[in-house]
Amino acid sequence: MRFRFFFGEAIDSLVRNWVMSLAGIVTVLVSMFVLGIGTFVFFNVQRAASGVTQKLEIEVFIKNAASQDEINKLGDEIRAMPEVRDMNFVSKDEAMNRLRDSMKGHEDVLQALSGNPLPASYEIFLKDTNQTQEVASRFYDNPAVDNSAITNTARDPIKLAGGLSASATTMTVTAGGGSQLAKDLYIRVDHEIMRVTDNPVGDKISIARGLFGTTADTHADGAGVYSTDGVKTGGKTTERVNMVANYTLIGGSGFVVLLAVASVLLISNTIRLSIFARRREVEIMRLVGATNWFIRWPFVIEGIATGLLGATGAVILVIIVQNSIVNMIKQQLTFLGAEAVPTFWLLLAIIGGGMLLGSVGSALALRRFLKI
Amino acid sequence: MIRFENVSKVYDPNIVGLDGVNVHIDRGEFCFLVGHSGSGKSTFIRLLLKEFEPTKGSITVAGRNLQRMRRAALPHHRRSIGCVFQDFKLLPNKSVADNVAYALRVTGQPARSIRRKVPEILQLVGLGDKMNNLPDELSAGEQQRVSVARAFVNHPSLLVADEPTGNLDPDTSVGIMQLLYRINRTGTTVLMATHDREMVDKMRKRVIALEDGKVIRDEDKGLYR
Ligand SMILES: Nc1ncnc2c1ncn2[C@@H]1O[C@H](COP(=O)(O)OP(=O)(O)OP(=O)(O)O)[C@@H](O)[C@H]1O
Ligand SMILES: [Mg+2]
């Protein structure tokens, strides 16, 4: 009965101050709408990012000299790492088969190879792509691992726009496309791999040709540059997607916070006005012995109701907008594929958020303007 | 019931409201507080309600010392005192019945007993047929009766009235006076500040006269003078 009375008082005041109430409701609506749509965008960018993640791997090359025991032990270690989602052993034969597949039409190049120069390897898939470097670095000092071959994109070497050019004495690696070579990188020509450390950061590096032993030739298909620290190398979809996801999150959160602050202030102003409009009533309430909370409750409910009404409007709008975007993408941008955020969570977040804004707004007004 | 011991109240910047007042009013008494405008009558009543603190001295109401009372106990203190003012102090957006009900609601009474008590008390003050009107739709005398009904609906042991007839014509004033008298007869202590010479002289009750914040006269069955 008490609640019904407070509720009635709150609604009464809401209706009597309807212009201000409406302003409060609309701000909550806008900020919760942005929150909802932001969640939708972020949800989908994340989804896209995790799709890319599946393709990403660390490939740990095993020394030819490693014993079966060492290989097994390395496999167990990898399996035990909490960051690892999945792993896969690629034997020397398997590696050769893959190379053959990728070189259809150029089989003659392979003819030149004596035996199988390819190392066996473990392919590692991670749960979180941000951890690639960190996990990869653990293998640098492993005795079973062919240190010169660790890479996080072994099967998808960075294709340099500038590529590789050779003169009689030097080879020049050019990044091109505006990207820069990393400080620490591996250069592979055919299957000879060379590590270049402390490379002065720039888009070009020259190496004495003699360093590449005997066969180095620049037309070979496998020419490429591997980076271990991965900074500023072009063409890394994963990092890009991650970056986009992170920026959406940061930018979106910032915007939502801004709008939330605006809503709180507006609601607090609404409540302030309704306190002001009822200051005589409040005085009378005190005289007849109303407790502080008896006086406060209607104002608190008024604030929460404002938040709730705005949030309800936002939920309806978000569901409509979200579904029409999803439908549009399904029809016109089929390759993208979008998905609506599960409605239940969306509802919960928005309604909860709206009520929170409402109660914070009224609490603020009560603290400042209802001195009891 | 009420005990003022050497009570002084000085308003900012330096205006004397009350000055060394000693008054003792017993349970069940009917008592007039008289004096010129600015003599300190309202100050006396507002101190009783603990609207503010005295500058000096101690006040006891119904055995409770107001200076030692905790803030949380203040609402209960106010509920134990019914109060009536010159300007009625009714809630303008609420019906007559809701205005009276408000005093019961703040005490947390169940809806059922509110529905029973409100018509009862309004009948008693002769407004049984105006329950659903807004205060604006009532005459001044009727509004003051609503306010008396609200003050008494909790059956407080003390009822204070600050110039309850100040805005009323003589005939209507008599009606209000009779109501207060009847309330006093139920055992409720009544303290009434007034300018109304005729009324005071007719009633022959205890009269406490103030001047410049001091008690200049306190006599039983007194006159306004
Ligand atoms: N809130 C206040 N601030 C400053 N001075 C005040 C305040 N209230 C009352 N006073 C002063 O205190 C003195 C006593 O005022 P009080 O209201 O008690 O008189 P009163 O006897 O009720 O007068 P009236 O018959 O006109 O109602 C007056 O001089 C008045 O100006
Ligand atoms: Mg006065």
Side-chain angles (χ1 to χ4, degrees):
Chain A
M1 115 86 208
R2 257 194 167 196
F3 179 77
R4 247 179 46 202
F5 174 70
F6 292 144
F7 195 75
E9 297 277 290
I11 298 308
D12 211 48
S13 165
L14 208 68
V15 172
R16 222 176 305 145
N17 275 324
W18 69 271
V19 177
M20 272 313 290
S21 307
L22 200 66
I25 290 170
V26 169
T27 2
V28 175
L29 191 147
V30 170
S31 67
M32 288 296 105
F33 176 74
V34 171
L35 175 73
I37 293 300
T39 313
F40 168 66
V41 170
F42 182 68
F43 179 77
N44 277 288
V45 172
Q46 275 283 296
R47 233 174 50 93
S50 66
V52 171
T53 312
Q54 300 211 330
K55 287 174 211 142
L56 186 110
E57 63 190 63
I58 298 173
E59 198 160 17
V60 179
F61 293 100
I62 297 160
K63 279 182 182 158
N64 282 333
S67 69
Q68 190 59 44
D69 271 358
E70 281 176 319
I71 295 174
N72 291 344
K73 192 164 155 273
L74 180 61
D76 290 342
E77 278 171 22
I78 295 170
R79 205 169 286 118
M81 290 178 185
E83 299 90 345
V84 173
R85 183 169 53 79
D86 199 7
M87 62 172 287
N88 191 16
F89 179 70
V90 182
S91 66
K92 284 172 74 77
D93 290 347
E94 169 81 27
M96 196 54 183
N97 287 338
R98 285 186 185 178
L99 184 64
R100 218 170 255 133
D101 285 347
S102 70
M103 291 187 121
K104 283 242 158 60
H106 298 279
E107 276 86 355
D108 51 320
V109 177
L110 295 172
Q111 304 275 292
L113 295 173
S114 56
N116 181 354
L118 297 179
S121 67
Y122 280 109
E123 290 174 338
I124 303 173
F125 302 87
L126 296 178
K127 291 173 185 154
D128 178 359
T129 53
N130 287 320
Q131 292 167 320
T132 312
Q133 296 304 330
E134 145 76 11
V135 173
S137 71
R138 286 180 209 161
F139 301 104
Y140 289 164
D141 298 324
N142 194 304
V145 173
D146 185 352
N147 220 342
S148 60
I150 296 171
T151 165
N152 56 10
T153 44
R155 289 208 294 134
D156 187 16
I158 301 143
K159 293 279 188 275
L160 296 170
L164 208 61
S165 64
S167 71
T169 53
T170 60
M171 262 179 357
T172 305
V173 178
T174 320
S179 58
Q180 302 222 301
L181 291 172
K183 246 181 111 129
D184 193 9
L185 46 80
Y186 293 91
I187 297 171
R188 185 179 77 175
V189 179
D190 286 345
H191 293 289
E192 291 202 51
I193 294 168
M194 176 192 173
R195 186 173 188 182
V196 183
T197 51
D198 275 328
N199 168 32
V201 175
D203 64 351
K204 196 183 278 181
I205 181 175
S206 295
I207 311 143
R209 191 169 172 163
L211 289 173
F212 271 94
T214 48
T215 61
D217 207 343
T218 53
H219 66 71
D221 205 48
V225 173
Y226 294 165
S227 156
T228 51
D229 57 13
V231 281
K232 294 180 181 169
T233 50
K236 287 196 156 183
T237 337
T238 318
E239 277 187 9
R240 289 249 174 103
V241 173
N242 268 341
M243 211 172 67
V244 171
N246 288 341
Y247 284 157
T248 347
L249 186 63
I250 294 169
S253 319
F255 197 45
V256 167
V257 165
L258 218 72
L259 283 168
V261 169
S263 320
V264 164
L265 292 181
L266 230 91
I267 290 179
S268 134
N269 204 42
T270 316
I271 303 299
R272 183 179 74 92
L273 285 184
S274 95
I275 290 172
F276 187 73
R278 291 168 64 183
R279 64 196 182 287
R280 231 182 97 80
E281 292 186 42
V282 169
E283 183 204 330
I284 296 170
M285 291 172 196
R286 285 188 195 138
L287 274 175
V288 299
T291 57
N292 292 344
W293 274 109
F294 197 92
I295 295 172
R296 282 185 196 130
W297 267 120
F299 294 114
V300 173
I301 294 172
E302 186 182 343
I304 294 178
T306 307
L308 203 62
L309 287 174
T312 309
V315 164
I316 294 169
L317 268 185
V318 165
I319 289 176
I320 292 172
V321 168
Q322 190 176 261
N323 287 342
S324 53
I325 290 178
V326 168
N327 283 339
M328 199 188 77
I329 286 178
K330 273 192 183 138
Q331 282 163 17
Q332 292 167 21
L333 302 161
T334 33
F335 62 93
L336 255 177
E339 202 179 293
V341 181
T343 316
F344 173 75
W345 292 107
L346 195 72
L347 274 173
L348 204 73
I350 293 181
I351 299 278
M355 281 172 64
L356 190 74
L357 295 185
S359 25
V360 171
S362 45
L364 212 69
L366 289 178
R367 268 184 64 125
R368 288 188 52 198
F369 304 109
L370 194 65
K371 296 267 184 277
I372 304 191
Chain B
M1 190 75 218
I2 301 172
R3 187 183 289 277
F4 273 53
E5 276 170 36
N6 201 24
V7 173
S8 297
K9 170 71 190 175
V10 181
Y11 292 104
D12 285 341
N14 206 356
I15 302 163
V16 176
L18 281 185
D19 185 6
V21 168
N22 282 293
V23 163
H24 178 200
I25 298 171
D26 270 329
R27 187 171 290 274
E29 271 194 84
F30 194 116
C31 192
F32 286 113
L33 203 54
V34 303
H36 299 297
S37 184
S39 58
K41 303 184 293 294
S42 296
T43 304
F44 190 101
I45 283 171
R46 296 177 72 186
L47 280 168
L48 264 184
L49 292 167
K50 200 170 153 73
E51 280 189 50
F52 42 65
E53 298 300 321
T55 317
K56 234 176 45 205
S58 94
I59 302 168
T60 312
V61 178
R64 287 189 294 251
N65 184 300
L66 297 198
Q67 280 68 62
R68 270 187 250 130
M69 179 181 288
R70 281 181 300 120
R71 279 176 62 84
L74 186 59
H76 299 273
H77 171 64
R78 299 258 172 88
R79 286 175 208 170
S80 71
I81 304 175
C83 41
V84 178
F85 299 92
Q86 182 171 3
D87 58 355
F88 322 136
K89 291 202 196 299
L90 297 174
L91 301 168
N93 317 304
K94 287 192 194 305
S95 71
V96 164
D98 281 343
N99 261 284
V100 176
Y102 202 89
L104 292 170
R105 286 215 168 89
V106 302
T107 67
Q109 294 227 4
R112 197 153 36 84
S113 86
I114 293 178
R115 272 200 298 276
R116 183 171 51 76
K117 285 179 183 171
V118 170
E120 214 172 79
I121 193 94
L122 283 172
Q123 222 95 56
L124 194 82
V125 300
L127 287 173
D129 54 342
K130 299 257 164 96
M131 294 215 300
N132 297 317
N133 289 60
L134 290 174
D136 278 352
E137 300 161 357
L138 268 55
S139 74
E142 287 168 333
Q143 288 186 50
Q144 193 59 298
R145 280 191 228 194
V146 176
S147 138
V148 171
R150 181 184 60 192
F152 191 58
V153 72
N154 272 324
H155 294 280
S157 53
L158 172 63
L159 192 144
V160 296
D162 193 355
E163 300 188 41
T165 59
N167 276 348
L168 307 177
D169 64 59
D171 287 348
T172 321
S173 300
V174 170
I176 295 295
M177 201 58 234
Q178 279 170 346
L179 261 178
L180 294 179
Y181 183 65
R182 271 167 66 195
I183 287 172
N184 175 242
R185 294 291 295 271
T186 66
T188 304
T189 314
V190 175
L191 174 67
M192 171 170 163
T194 185
H195 278 305
D196 195 332
R197 170 188 301 272
E198 224 173 300
M199 191 87 72
V200 174
D201 289 350
K202 208 155 55 195
M203 293 285 288
R204 299 308 297 259
K205 293 288 184 185
R206 177 173 173 191
V207 174
I208 299 167
L210 291 174
E211 196 174 303
D212 295 334
K214 291 194 183 68
V215 177
I216 52 163
R217 182 159 56 89
D218 184 352
E219 57 190 16
D220 283 337
K221 300 205 173 90
L223 293 171
Y224 188 88
R225 263 196 285 195

